[in-house]
Amino acid sequence: MTDLAPVAAVERRIDVLRALDGAPDSKVGVAARVDISRSTAERAMHELATHGFVAPSDDGYRVTIPGRLALDAHGQRAARIDAAAAVAPLFDDIRLSFDIDPAVLDGARVVEAHPHAPNRPVECVIALIKDATHISVYAGRFLSRHSHRYHDRVLDGMTGTFVAAAPVIERQRATRPEDMRGAIDRGHVAVRCTDRDDPVTLVLAETPDGPEMGLVVYRDESPRGFLGTDAPAATRWARALYERLWTAATPV
């Protein structure tokens, strides 16, 4: 049985909808441009018109405003699927205690570590916080270079809040105890401890150009890759997740 839902209609008739988005056309013209039969073109026009995605005009059928919105939504969906495939190597055999919003795929920058360039994900975080005035970090894994850079930026005037897994806090105390204690005592940094054990670091950076987020995924203790974006829906998701983690964590 044919699915009559609007999303199914767009999936079935996407080539016709795209053809009409360029300029209005007749059923005969669309059939020739899309390389389908006239009867198929007629059915497609009727189906799309039923949902308000196309409408007749003096020059033939035209795409309506809802039709263009449907095209944009379809394009975003396709782009997200492509991006999901691009980040698949980062999340191979990874389990997380939280869900990732698909919005993180919008305009995402995906960087993988390679044997000849193992620090590429770390460099992405350094670039992310370079101009930040404040950062919110969930650290499920300890990385010395991250710790050093956070400390350097705090000395430059950046502030930060950190939710860290217990092993991360212990590693920090063991390797650079004066950094964390000094930053906390000066009121530049606040730290809370969580019992979560996700193999990721989430960074939400407040910058002069607006918020940006980055997610570093680890294989064991080494960064596997970086996924970052400044898409508004993605940074809203990151902020909401971080606030939940912060609320549930224990002050250090």
Side-chain angles (χ1 to χ4, degrees), residues 74-177:
H74 183 274
Q76 182 186 57
R77 180 181 180 187
R80 283 182 173 181
I81 291 172
D82 287 343
V87 304
L90 274 61
F91 292 94
D92 181 36
D93 202 31
I94 292 294
R95 300 289 185 274
L96 298 176
S97 65
F98 56 87
D99 292 328
I100 296 179
D101 194 292
V104 304
L105 301 173
D106 296 341
R109 180 187 180 198
V110 181
V111 176
E112 291 186 65
H114 296 291
H116 64 279
N119 291 319
R120 293 178 72 204
V122 180
E123 292 163 359
C124 290
V125 173
I126 292 173
L128 177 64
I129 68 172
K130 179 177 180 292
D131 298 317
T133 56
H134 180 86
I135 57 173
S136 304
V137 179
Y138 165 47
R141 292 293 183 271
F142 178 82
L143 198 61
S144 180
R145 284 194 65 189
H146 281 173
S147 177
H148 290 184
R149 190 54 183 154
Y150 294 150
H151 180 253
D152 290 345
R153 288 291 294 114
V154 167
L155 291 179
D156 290 340
M158 183 186 76
T159 59
T161 59
F162 296 79
V163 175
V168 173
I169 292 176
E170 291 306 313
R171 288 278 300 277
Q172 177 68 24
R173 283 172 171 164
T175 57
R176 296 171 66 93

Side-chain angles (χ1 to χ4, degrees), residues 164-224:
V168 173
I169 292 176
E170 291 306 313
R171 288 278 300 277
Q172 177 68 24
R173 283 172 171 164
T175 57
R176 296 171 66 93
E178 69 285 351
D179 289 355
M180 183 169 71
R181 191 71 263 164
I184 292 174
D185 289 345
R186 288 191 297 271
H188 296 165
V189 166
V191 180
R192 291 191 176 187
C193 181
T194 179
D195 58 3
R196 292 179 184 242
D197 186 34
D198 297 300
V200 299
T201 292
L202 172 68
V203 181
L204 178 63
E206 309 296 341
T207 79
D209 295 325
E212 299 181 34
M213 62 143 291
L215 190 69
V216 179
V217 184
Y218 293 82
R219 185 193 303 274
D220 298 323
E221 299 300 316
S222 300
R224 178 186 291 187

